[in-house]
């Protein structure tokens, strides 16, 4: 995940970085807008997930187990198009927080974050009643699946929010630490789903898996490359974050090779 932060403050003398300053009597120190750029990651590349298992039923009662992958949209160069997450938070002066906040609250409030995008869905294997269908490659949805996600906001030091420092566990989301984005996916019909014996089972898999309102949850890590500004996804190799931006992200991160 990459992050871009824009803040409104009470500094009217800085028209370049603060073109819309907060009023002098505003209780907030800053009003922040953060844009996160999320990439799906797996061991063999970024822009798609690792294979994962979905359990469902065929014909209403026969157990079916499918192995799927989700993949992001691609640009003209074949590179992944990030999922854009726009989040807002306010940072208040101590003692001037809203009166309805808990008495133990800190100074920051993160607001709910809504995300919409579309992802490709491919099927790598399917077993019906324990029998592997032996799918050939190329089984995928006819169109991309539309996703609608929500990252729950919270108030700093709210006793009702556990694991707030690990929002992927608490079920919340913040631009500086990532978290959980959960919602639904509308899965279109499948095409190109042919077994090793030559049988097209696209209609069968569409009946078993496709449809609106399928639950989905994405777990986002904290910002991956806060500096320097690269303008896009990193090249394969090792990014020395400790050297380039020690105050943000210590250590090194290995970037997997891109899959076209």
């Amino acid at each position: 995940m990459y992050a871009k932060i824009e803040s409104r403050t009470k500094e009217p003398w800085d028209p370049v970085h603060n073109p819309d300053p907060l009023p002098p009597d505003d209780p907030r120190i800053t009003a922040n807008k953060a844009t996160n750029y999320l990439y799906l990651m797996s061991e063999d590349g970024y822009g798609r997930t690792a294979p994962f298992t979905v359990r469902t039923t065929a014909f209403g009662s026969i157990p079916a187990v499918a192995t799927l992958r989700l993949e992001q949209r691609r640009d003209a160069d074949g590179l992944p198009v990030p999922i854009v997450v726009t989040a807002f938070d306010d940072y208040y002066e101590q003692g001037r927080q809203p009166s309805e906040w808990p008495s133990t609250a800190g100074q920051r409030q993160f607001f709910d974050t809504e995300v919409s995008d579309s992802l490709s869905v491919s099927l790598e294997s399917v077993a019906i009643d324990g029998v592997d269908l032996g799918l050939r490659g190329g089984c995928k949805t006819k169109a991309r699946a539309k996703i609608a996600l929500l990252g729950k906001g919270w108030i700093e030091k709210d006793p009702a929010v556990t694991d707030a420092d690990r929002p992927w566990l608490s079920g919340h989301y913040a631009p500086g630490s990532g978290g959980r984005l959960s919602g639904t996916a509308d899965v279109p019909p499948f095409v190109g789903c042919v077994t090793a014996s030559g049988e097209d089972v696209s209609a069968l898999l569409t009946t078993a898996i496709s449809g609106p309102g399928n639950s989905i949850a994405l777990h986002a890590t904290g910002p991956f490359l806060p500096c320097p500004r690269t303008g896009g996804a990193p090249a394969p190799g090792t990014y020395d974050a400790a050297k380039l931006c020690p105050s943000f992200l210590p250590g090194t991160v290995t970037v997997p090779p891109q899959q076209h």
Side-chain angles (χ1 to χ4, degrees):
M1 177 172 74
Y2 303 85
K4 174 184 177 182
I5 308 295
E6 302 171 68
S7 296
R8 294 176 61 205
T9 69
K10 299 177 183 178
E11 301 172 354
W13 59 84
D14 189 358
V16 175
H17 298 96
N18 190 35
D20 184 22
L22 297 174
D25 60 345
D26 197 295
R28 296 170 297 175
I29 298 173
T30 59
N32 306 305
K33 173 186 176 182
T35 306
N36 291 158
Y37 303 92
L38 274 58
Y39 290 90
L40 303 175
M41 301 289 289
S42 65
E43 292 183 355
D44 60 355
Y46 61 91
R48 61 179 178 175
T49 66
F52 62 94
T53 299
V54 172
R55 299 182 185 277
T56 182
T57 57
F59 305 111
S61 60
I62 303 175
V65 179
T67 301
L68 297 85
R69 296 187 83 155
L70 302 179
E71 185 168 341
Q72 291 173 263
R73 293 176 291 121
R74 301 274 169 160
D75 63 17
D77 296 320
L79 298 176
V81 176
I83 298 171
V84 179
V85 182
T86 302
F88 296 88
D89 70 269
D90 288 340
Y91 185 62
Y92 284 82
E93 296 179 20
Q94 184 61 46
R96 300 189 68 189
Q97 298 97 319
S99 59
E100 65 271 17
W101 283 17
S103 59
T104 59
Q107 296 171 256
R108 190 180 299 276
Q109 178 181 20
F110 297 95
F111 296 95
D112 287 351
T113 300
E114 295 183 352
V115 183
S116 61
D117 207 318
S118 59
L119 301 173
S120 297
V121 183
S122 60
L123 269 173
E124 296 197 346
S125 66
V126 176
I128 304 292
D129 202 17
V131 178
D132 192 333
L133 298 185
L135 289 179
R136 300 175 182 175
C139 179
K140 60 183 180 180
T141 50
K142 186 176 182 180
R144 289 189 292 268
K146 294 181 179 179
I147 60 172
L149 307 174
L150 174 70
K152 293 167 57 179
W154 82 95
I155 297 171
E156 181 186 26
K157 298 183 180 179
D158 184 343
V161 178
T162 58
D163 278 316
D165 58 335
R166 297 182 295 173
W168 55 93
L169 294 179
S170 68
H172 295 77
Y173 185 88
S177 53
R180 180 182 175 92
L181 296 167
S182 57
T184 60
D186 296 339
V187 180
F190 283 88
V191 294
C193 304
V194 180
T195 68
S197 63
E199 181 182 3
D200 190 330
V201 292
S202 301
L204 169 64
L205 298 179
T206 294
T207 301
I209 301 173
S210 299
N214 293 277
S215 297
I216 183 174
L218 299 181
H219 295 259
T221 63
F224 183 48
L225 302 180
C227 64
R229 294 172 180 159
T230 62
T238 299
Y239 177 82
D240 192 346
K243 177 180 179 181
L244 295 176
C245 43
S247 63
F248 290 91
L249 185 66
T252 60
V253 176
T254 299
V255 179
Q258 169 60 35
Q259 299 293 314
H260 288 274

